[in-house]
Amino acid sequence: MALVRGSIAALAALGLVALGGCMGGPKSGVQPYSQGGFHPFGFGRSAPQPDDPKVAIGVNAYLWRATLDTLAFMPLTSADPYGGVVITDWYANPEKPDERFKATVYILDTRLRADGLNVTVYKQVRDGAGWKDAPTAGQTDTDIENAILTRARQLRLSNIR
C-alpha cells in the first residue's frame, strides 16, 4: 500500500517537473503565454490578426470574401473558412413571404477559378400545413455562382491596383 502511494506521488512529482519544463521563461526563447506564447488551454492569447502572414484560410480568399458579400442578405448558419463551406439559413423575401430559400456554397480550390466553386440553392413554398420543398429555377445556382465569381474578380482587381 505504501509502495503504491509512493509511486503515485513520484509520478505526480515527475509530471509537475515535466509540465514546468514546458513553461519556458524568457531565457529559453519561448514566450510566456501572457506575451502570445503557448498555454495549454489557450488562456491569455489574442486572436490571430488578419494581416499576419502566418494566418491563412484554406481556400481562395477572394472567393471566400465574394461569397460572404454576395450572400450578405441571407442569415448565415455556418461559415468555415478552412473547409470552404458557407451555409445560409432560410431567407424569405418580404415581397414573397410564401417562399423561402437556403444556399450552400463549397469553395473547392485555393485558386480563383470558375470550377473552384459549387453553389446549391434550396427552395421551399408554404402550403396549408407548413413548408414544402420545391424545385428552384434551373439557372439559380449558376446565377449565384456567376455573381460570386464576378465579385471575386472585382476584389482581386482592386488589390492589384
Side-chain angles (χ1 to χ4, degrees), residues 23-24 26 30-39 42-46:
M23 306 283 288
V30 177
Q31 289 184 337
Y33 67 87
S34 62
Q35 297 174 5
F38 172 78
H39 189 280
F43 298 128
R45 299 187 79 183
S46 60

PDB file of all heavy atoms in Angstrom, residues 23-24 26 30-39 42-46:
ATOM      1  N   MET A  23       6.887  25.337 -19.583  1.00  0.00           N
ATOM      2  CA  MET A  23       6.594  26.742 -19.338  1.00  0.00           C
ATOM      3  C   MET A  23       7.882  27.554 -19.435  1.00  0.00           C
ATOM      4  O   MET A  23       8.309  28.180 -18.493  1.00  0.00           O
ATOM      5  CB  MET A  23       5.972  26.928 -17.946  1.00  0.00           C
ATOM      6  CG  MET A  23       4.756  26.081 -17.675  1.00  0.00           C
ATOM      7  SD  MET A  23       3.300  26.710 -18.448  1.00  0.00           S
ATOM      8  CE  MET A  23       3.016  28.122 -17.422  1.00  0.00           C
ATOM      9  N   GLY A  24       8.511  27.525 -20.594  1.00  0.00           N
ATOM     10  CA  GLY A  24       9.788  28.191 -20.774  1.00  0.00           C
ATOM     11  C   GLY A  24       9.724  29.662 -20.445  1.00  0.00           C
ATOM     12  O   GLY A  24       8.773  30.345 -20.788  1.00  0.00           O
ATOM     13  N   PRO A  26      11.683  33.624 -20.394  1.00  0.00           N
ATOM     14  CA  PRO A  26      12.283  34.450 -21.429  1.00  0.00           C
ATOM     15  C   PRO A  26      13.664  33.977 -21.857  1.00  0.00           C
ATOM     16  O   PRO A  26      14.052  34.166 -22.985  1.00  0.00           O
ATOM     17  CB  PRO A  26      12.374  35.831 -20.783  1.00  0.00           C
ATOM     18  CG  PRO A  26      11.397  35.817 -19.648  1.00  0.00           C
ATOM     19  CD  PRO A  26      11.281  34.399 -19.224  1.00  0.00           C
ATOM     20  N   VAL A  30      11.236  30.763 -25.542  1.00  0.00           N
ATOM     21  CA  VAL A  30       9.804  30.554 -25.654  1.00  0.00           C
ATOM     22  C   VAL A  30       9.109  31.692 -24.933  1.00  0.00           C
ATOM     23  O   VAL A  30       9.417  31.979 -23.786  1.00  0.00           O
ATOM     24  CB  VAL A  30       9.382  29.192 -25.040  1.00  0.00           C
ATOM     25  CG1 VAL A  30       7.889  29.024 -25.111  1.00  0.00           C
ATOM     26  CG2 VAL A  30      10.091  28.063 -25.741  1.00  0.00           C
ATOM     27  N   GLN A  31       8.162  32.337 -25.622  1.00  0.00           N
ATOM     28  CA  GLN A  31       7.450  33.446 -24.989  1.00  0.00           C
ATOM     29  C   GLN A  31       6.466  32.927 -23.962  1.00  0.00           C
ATOM     30  O   GLN A  31       5.808  31.923 -24.189  1.00  0.00           O
ATOM     31  CB  GLN A  31       6.656  34.227 -26.027  1.00  0.00           C
ATOM     32  CG  GLN A  31       7.492  35.034 -26.963  1.00  0.00           C
ATOM     33  CD  GLN A  31       6.611  35.845 -27.894  1.00  0.00           C
ATOM     34  OE1 GLN A  31       5.465  35.506 -28.125  1.00  0.00           O
ATOM     35  NE2 GLN A  31       7.162  36.923 -28.415  1.00  0.00           N
ATOM     36  N   PRO A  32       6.357  33.612 -22.826  1.00  0.00           N
ATOM     37  CA  PRO A  32       5.303  33.237 -21.896  1.00  0.00           C
ATOM     38  C   PRO A  32       3.948  33.515 -22.528  1.00  0.00           C
ATOM     39  O   PRO A  32       3.829  34.352 -23.410  1.00  0.00           O
ATOM     40  CB  PRO A  32       5.547  34.128 -20.673  1.00  0.00           C
ATOM     41  CG  PRO A  32       6.570  35.108 -21.053  1.00  0.00           C
ATOM     42  CD  PRO A  32       7.178  34.703 -22.347  1.00  0.00           C
ATOM     43  N   TYR A  33       2.924  32.783 -22.076  1.00  0.00           N
ATOM     44  CA  TYR A  33       1.619  32.913 -22.711  1.00  0.00           C
ATOM     45  C   TYR A  33       1.040  34.302 -22.585  1.00  0.00           C
ATOM     46  O   TYR A  33       0.228  34.717 -23.400  1.00  0.00           O
ATOM     47  CB  TYR A  33       0.637  31.862 -22.190  1.00  0.00           C
ATOM     48  CG  TYR A  33       0.239  32.016 -20.745  1.00  0.00           C
ATOM     49  CD1 TYR A  33      -0.829  32.823 -20.375  1.00  0.00           C
ATOM     50  CD2 TYR A  33       0.930  31.338 -19.760  1.00  0.00           C
ATOM     51  CE1 TYR A  33      -1.179  32.955 -19.055  1.00  0.00           C
ATOM     52  CE2 TYR A  33       0.574  31.469 -18.434  1.00  0.00           C
ATOM     53  CZ  TYR A  33      -0.480  32.278 -18.089  1.00  0.00           C
ATOM     54  OH  TYR A  33      -0.839  32.402 -16.790  1.00  0.00           O
ATOM     55  N   SER A  34       1.448  35.082 -21.598  1.00  0.00           N
ATOM     56  CA  SER A  34       0.944  36.446 -21.485  1.00  0.00           C
ATOM     57  C   SER A  34       1.450  37.322 -22.618  1.00  0.00           C
ATOM     58  O   SER A  34       0.906  38.375 -22.880  1.00  0.00           O
ATOM     59  CB  SER A  34       1.334  37.051 -20.135  1.00  0.00           C
ATOM     60  OG  SER A  34       2.750  37.119 -20.039  1.00  0.00           O
ATOM     61  N   GLN A  35       2.496  36.874 -23.323  1.00  0.00           N
ATOM     62  CA  GLN A  35       3.036  37.618 -24.455  1.00  0.00           C
ATOM     63  C   GLN A  35       2.734  36.911 -25.773  1.00  0.00           C
ATOM     64  O   GLN A  35       3.417  37.094 -26.758  1.00  0.00           O
ATOM     65  CB  GLN A  35       4.542  37.790 -24.294  1.00  0.00           C
ATOM     66  CG  GLN A  35       4.921  38.596 -23.079  1.00  0.00           C
ATOM     67  CD  GLN A  35       6.424  38.621 -22.874  1.00  0.00           C
ATOM     68  OE1 GLN A  35       7.190  38.110 -23.679  1.00  0.00           O
ATOM     69  NE2 GLN A  35       6.841  39.216 -21.777  1.00  0.00           N
ATOM     70  N   GLY A  36       1.710  36.076 -25.796  1.00  0.00           N
ATOM     71  CA  GLY A  36       1.303  35.401 -27.018  1.00  0.00           C
ATOM     72  C   GLY A  36       1.910  34.023 -27.190  1.00  0.00           C
ATOM     73  O   GLY A  36       1.776  33.417 -28.237  1.00  0.00           O
ATOM     74  N   GLY A  37       2.620  33.515 -26.175  1.00  0.00           N
ATOM     75  CA  GLY A  37       3.236  32.198 -26.265  1.00  0.00           C
ATOM     76  C   GLY A  37       2.244  31.086 -25.986  1.00  0.00           C
ATOM     77  O   GLY A  37       1.042  31.299 -25.901  1.00  0.00           O
ATOM     78  N   PHE A  38       2.748  29.878 -25.783  1.00  0.00           N
ATOM     79  CA  PHE A  38       1.913  28.701 -25.585  1.00  0.00           C
ATOM     80  C   PHE A  38       1.278  28.684 -24.201  1.00  0.00           C
ATOM     81  O   PHE A  38       1.907  29.011 -23.211  1.00  0.00           O
ATOM     82  CB  PHE A  38       2.771  27.438 -25.750  1.00  0.00           C
ATOM     83  CG  PHE A  38       2.035  26.188 -25.371  1.00  0.00           C
ATOM     84  CD1 PHE A  38       1.122  25.637 -26.231  1.00  0.00           C
ATOM     85  CD2 PHE A  38       2.231  25.584 -24.145  1.00  0.00           C
ATOM     86  CE1 PHE A  38       0.433  24.489 -25.890  1.00  0.00           C
ATOM     87  CE2 PHE A  38       1.552  24.436 -23.789  1.00  0.00           C
ATOM     88  CZ  PHE A  38       0.656  23.890 -24.675  1.00  0.00           C
ATOM     89  N   HIS A  39       0.024  28.320 -24.155  1.00  0.00           N
ATOM     90  CA  HIS A  39      -0.660  27.995 -22.908  1.00  0.00           C
ATOM     91  C   HIS A  39      -1.525  26.786 -23.217  1.00  0.00           C
ATOM     92  O   HIS A  39      -2.205  26.757 -24.239  1.00  0.00           O
ATOM     93  CB  HIS A  39      -1.527  29.153 -22.419  1.00  0.00           C
ATOM     94  CG  HIS A  39      -2.070  28.912 -21.042  1.00  0.00           C
ATOM     95  ND1 HIS A  39      -3.156  28.123 -20.824  1.00  0.00           N
ATOM     96  CD2 HIS A  39      -1.660  29.337 -19.832  1.00  0.00           C
ATOM     97  CE1 HIS A  39      -3.411  28.073 -19.523  1.00  0.00           C
ATOM     98  NE2 HIS A  39      -2.519  28.807 -18.911  1.00  0.00           N
ATOM     99  N   GLY A  42      -5.093  27.760 -23.920  1.00  0.00           N
ATOM    100  CA  GLY A  42      -5.324  28.909 -24.772  1.00  0.00           C
ATOM    101  C   GLY A  42      -5.606  30.194 -24.030  1.00  0.00           C
ATOM    102  O   GLY A  42      -5.981  31.187 -24.636  1.00  0.00           O
ATOM    103  N   PHE A  43      -5.461  30.231 -22.718  1.00  0.00           N
ATOM    104  CA  PHE A  43      -5.745  31.446 -21.966  1.00  0.00           C
ATOM    105  C   PHE A  43      -4.701  32.509 -22.266  1.00  0.00           C
ATOM    106  O   PHE A  43      -3.531  32.224 -22.433  1.00  0.00           O
ATOM    107  CB  PHE A  43      -5.754  31.179 -20.461  1.00  0.00           C
ATOM    108  CG  PHE A  43      -6.807  30.199 -20.043  1.00  0.00           C
ATOM    109  CD1 PHE A  43      -6.475  29.103 -19.267  1.00  0.00           C
ATOM    110  CD2 PHE A  43      -8.114  30.343 -20.448  1.00  0.00           C
ATOM    111  CE1 PHE A  43      -7.423  28.194 -18.888  1.00  0.00           C
ATOM    112  CE2 PHE A  43      -9.071  29.439 -20.058  1.00  0.00           C
ATOM    113  CZ  PHE A  43      -8.734  28.354 -19.282  1.00  0.00           C
ATOM    114  N   GLY A  44      -5.124  33.751 -22.291  1.00  0.00           N
ATOM    115  CA  GLY A  44      -4.202  34.855 -22.437  1.00  0.00           C
ATOM    116  C   GLY A  44      -3.728  35.085 -23.855  1.00  0.00           C
ATOM    117  O   GLY A  44      -2.931  35.960 -24.098  1.00  0.00           O
ATOM    118  N   ARG A  45      -4.242  34.340 -24.815  1.00  0.00           N
ATOM    119  CA  ARG A  45      -3.804  34.521 -26.188  1.00  0.00           C
ATOM    120  C   ARG A  45      -4.792  35.388 -26.927  1.00  0.00           C
ATOM    121  O   ARG A  45      -5.990  35.254 -26.789  1.00  0.00           O
ATOM    122  CB  ARG A  45      -3.689  33.177 -26.891  1.00  0.00           C
ATOM    123  CG  ARG A  45      -2.670  32.276 -26.203  1.00  0.00           C
ATOM    124  CD  ARG A  45      -2.465  31.055 -26.982  1.00  0.00           C
ATOM    125  NE  ARG A  45      -1.566  31.413 -28.068  1.00  0.00           N
ATOM    126  CZ  ARG A  45      -1.207  30.559 -29.006  1.00  0.00           C
ATOM    127  NH1 ARG A  45      -1.674  29.355 -29.013  1.00  0.00           N
ATOM    128  NH2 ARG A  45      -0.388  30.921 -29.952  1.00  0.00           N
ATOM    129  N   SER A  46      -4.287  36.278 -27.723  1.00  0.00           N
ATOM    130  CA  SER A  46      -5.165  37.102 -28.536  1.00  0.00           C
ATOM    131  C   SER A  46      -5.466  36.364 -29.833  1.00  0.00           C
ATOM    132  O   SER A  46      -4.727  35.472 -30.241  1.00  0.00           O
ATOM    133  CB  SER A  46      -4.498  38.444 -28.834  1.00  0.00           C
ATOM    134  OG  SER A  46      -3.294  38.227 -29.532  1.00  0.00           O
TER     135      SER A  46
END
